[in-house]
């Protein structure tokens, strides 16, 4: 149980309207990802996506984050884009930055792309901070609670990084995860979570 006072809940948003504003038309596989969550709108809190290259999973994840960040939650929020390496995390982070700067510039407060930080305002006027994180630098995985995170190439992240560096950041705010990866291996937290989902156990 968290020792902190309960936070105001995250608000929901019409993702289709956000996608249209950004000129994004999801493919059928991408639609499946969007329809599955997050839990704020009746979906799953943890979404595991295993798909090959060029299926658009990184694009779908970045647009999912853009919509979540914009939702008119009546408080400040924090969001992460994480991956095994800086360059992998940068793919999704840059896609999120491009969506805001190109299609939603009025919401941008500050962009420090080199430092992996984007500060925007949601539709209620409250600040939302998006941070790029890499598990190759464990020190970067400390901090306050996170409202949601994208984990790119999740099968390349160690159990220790997931358990001590990523998943613990979600506890205080009941944050959600969208973990995406190319199919790789049968061990590790990503493979186990995927197996539970496919069996309908989780």
């Amino acid at each position: 149980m968290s020792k902190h006072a309960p936070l105001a809940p995250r608000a929901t948003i019409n993702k289709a309207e956000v996608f249209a504003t950004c000129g994004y038309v999801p493919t059928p596989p991408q639609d499946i990802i969007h329809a599955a969550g997050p839990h704020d709108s009746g979906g799953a809190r943890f979404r595991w996506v295993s798909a090959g290259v060029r299926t658009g999973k990184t694009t779908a994840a970045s647009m999912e984050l853009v919509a979540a960040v914009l939702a008119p939650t009546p408080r400040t929020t924090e969001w992460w884009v994480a991956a095994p390496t800086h360059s992998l995390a940068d793919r999704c982070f840059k896609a999120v930055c491009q969506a805001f700067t190109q299609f939603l510039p009025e919401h941008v407060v500050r962009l420090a792309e080199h430092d992996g930080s984007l500060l925007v305002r949601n539709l209620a006027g409250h600040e939302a901070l998006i941070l790029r994180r890499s598990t190759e630098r464990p020190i970067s995985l400390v901090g306050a609670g996170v409202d949601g995170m994208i984990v790119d190439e999740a099968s390349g992240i160690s159990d220790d990084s997931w358990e001590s560096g990523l998943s613990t950041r979600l506890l205080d705010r009941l944050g959600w995860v969208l973990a995406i990866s190319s199919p790789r291996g049968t061990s590790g937290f990503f493979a186990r979570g995927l197996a539970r989902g496919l069996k309908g156990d989780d």
Side-chain angles (χ1 to χ4, degrees):
M1 179 179 293
S2 171
K3 63 183 178 181
H4 304 294
L7 290 167
R10 286 175 297 272
T12 58
I13 194 169
N14 186 325
K15 289 190 282 191
E17 291 183 2
V18 175
F19 297 163
T21 298
C22 295
Y24 167 60
V25 180
T27 64
Q30 290 170 325
D31 269 330
I32 293 172
I33 296 172
H34 298 308
H39 62 302
D40 308 277
S41 54
R45 183 179 172 208
F46 295 92
R47 284 174 285 173
W48 261 227
V49 178
S50 179
V53 296
R54 302 191 184 282
T55 54
K57 57 187 182 294
T58 299
T59 299
S62 63
M63 293 309 304
E64 189 73 10
L65 186 56
V66 169
V69 167
L70 279 175
T73 301
R75 59 174 175 82
T76 59
T77 54
E78 183 169 320
W79 312 83
W80 282 10
V81 177
T85 66
H86 171 95
S87 60
L88 287 173
D90 215 30
R91 296 185 310 185
C92 187
F93 178 74
K94 284 185 173 179
V96 172
C97 292
Q98 182 179 4
F100 272 103
T101 56
Q102 182 174 351
F103 299 105
L104 302 157
E106 68 277 14
H107 292 276
V108 176
V109 177
R110 182 181 67 251
L111 170 60
E113 192 168 325
H114 180 72
D115 295 327
S117 172
L118 172 63
L119 183 66
V120 302
R121 291 195 185 278
N122 67 23
L123 291 173
H126 294 281
E127 290 186 343
L129 179 63
I130 306 164
L131 297 172
R132 181 186 60 216
R133 291 290 184 251
S134 163
T135 59
E136 63 187 346
R137 293 186 63 245
I139 190 64
S140 72
L141 302 180
V142 299
V146 176
D147 289 270
M149 68 173 68
I150 304 299
V151 183
D152 202 351
E153 292 302 340
S155 63
I157 291 176
S158 69
D159 285 0
D160 182 64
S161 293
W162 165 251
E163 292 165 5
S164 63
L166 296 176
S167 65
T168 53
R169 301 279 76 79
L170 303 166
L171 297 176
D172 287 348
R173 301 188 181 189
L174 286 179
W176 56 257
V177 176
L178 173 51
I180 61 177
S181 186
S182 301
R184 186 188 304 116
T186 58
S187 62
F189 84 94
F190 181 77
R192 291 193 298 271
L194 184 64
R196 288 197 303 270
L198 291 172
K199 292 178 182 177
D201 294 338
D202 191 349

